Amino acid sequence: MEKIERIHHVAYRCLDAKATVEWYVKHLGMEFVLAIAEDKVPSTGADDPYMHVFLDAGQGNVLAFFELPKSATMGRDENTPLWVQHIAFKIGSMGELESAKARLQAAGIDVLGPTDHTIFKSIYFFDPNGHRLELAVDVGTEPMYRQLDACKWEMLDEWAATRRAPKHAAWMHDKALPAPV
């Protein structure tokens, strides 16, 4: 089997390609790296003009968007809670997270958090297309990550059998339980 090197790009739909690029450049500091426009879809041959834009999300990660002016209005999966589908970006420190929150709020963007996930803390907000975004900073310890690694398959198997949350890592959200040291 071929080994995946990295994600080449992740693509989402947008309402306005230019406004989307400008928003990500201004608010998340991404670099605009490529634009592709066609009248026909290369993979299907469909007559569906589009603008496909690519942004550098750091370390070879590329976030892309399609503007599709002839397609039906963009919607979302109404059967999936709003908090589920999101793009999470890693940043380096709590100071950066706090600074990002203040900067986003000063620009009029509603921000939720920071939320404490024990091994990382994050803030949440929406881009102009309605996509939920997360900025996260890792704050866990090596013992925490080792314990989570050691029980991941057991947790997955238990979930698959019961569809109930396994308690192997309950210490992550129950502060009364001791965290691994």
Side-chain angles (χ1 to χ4, degrees):
M1 178 183 298
E2 298 78 20
K3 179 167 175 35
I4 301 292
E5 294 179 16
R6 64 176 173 82
I7 292 174
H8 186 276
H9 69 277
V10 176
Y12 290 87
R13 187 166 175 197
C14 68
L15 301 169
D16 181 310
K18 186 174 187 334
T20 297
V21 167
E22 290 171 345
W23 191 92
Y24 277 84
V25 169
K26 177 180 179 180
H27 296 294
L28 295 181
M30 292 187 187
E31 181 182 339
F32 177 37
V33 294
L34 178 66
I36 299 171
E38 300 284 346
D39 289 319
K40 291 190 180 294
V41 180
S43 61
T44 67
D47 181 24
D48 197 3
Y50 65 85
M51 171 59 74
H52 193 21
V53 294
F54 298 76
L55 295 142
D56 181 351
Q59 298 189 4
N61 296 291
V62 176
L63 179 60
F65 292 93
F66 281 98
E67 182 181 341
L68 306 169
K70 288 179 66 180
S71 293
T73 303
M74 188 174 106
R76 61 173 296 278
D77 177 1
E78 295 298 327
N79 294 320
T80 300
L82 204 54
W83 59 268
V84 172
Q85 293 176 340
H86 64 278
I87 309 166
F89 300 104
K90 181 181 180 202
I91 59 174
S93 71
M94 277 303 297
E96 290 179 40
L97 190 68
E98 291 162 358
S99 175
K101 179 179 179 177
R103 188 174 31 76
L104 291 164
Q105 287 177 321
I109 298 168
D110 289 331
V111 180
L112 175 67
T115 300
D116 185 355
H117 300 283
T118 304
I119 59 169
F120 63 95
K121 294 184 181 186
S122 13
I123 59 173
Y124 300 92
F125 51 98
F126 290 89
D127 81 356
N129 306 295
H131 300 301
R132 190 175 200 218
L133 304 178
E134 174 182 8
L135 294 181
V137 59
D138 291 335
V139 296
T141 64
E142 283 307 312
M144 289 175 177
Y145 296 124
R146 277 196 304 273
Q147 182 167 338
L148 291 170
D149 184 59
C151 69
K152 65 188 176 200
W153 284 104
E154 193 175 338
M155 288 180 70
L156 185 60
D157 290 341
E158 185 176 328
W159 174 264
T162 67
R163 291 301 190 264
R164 294 175 59 197
K167 302 301 179 199
H168 300 75
W171 52 267
M172 288 184 63
H173 293 103
D174 184 348
K175 300 307 178 195
L177 297 173
V181 289

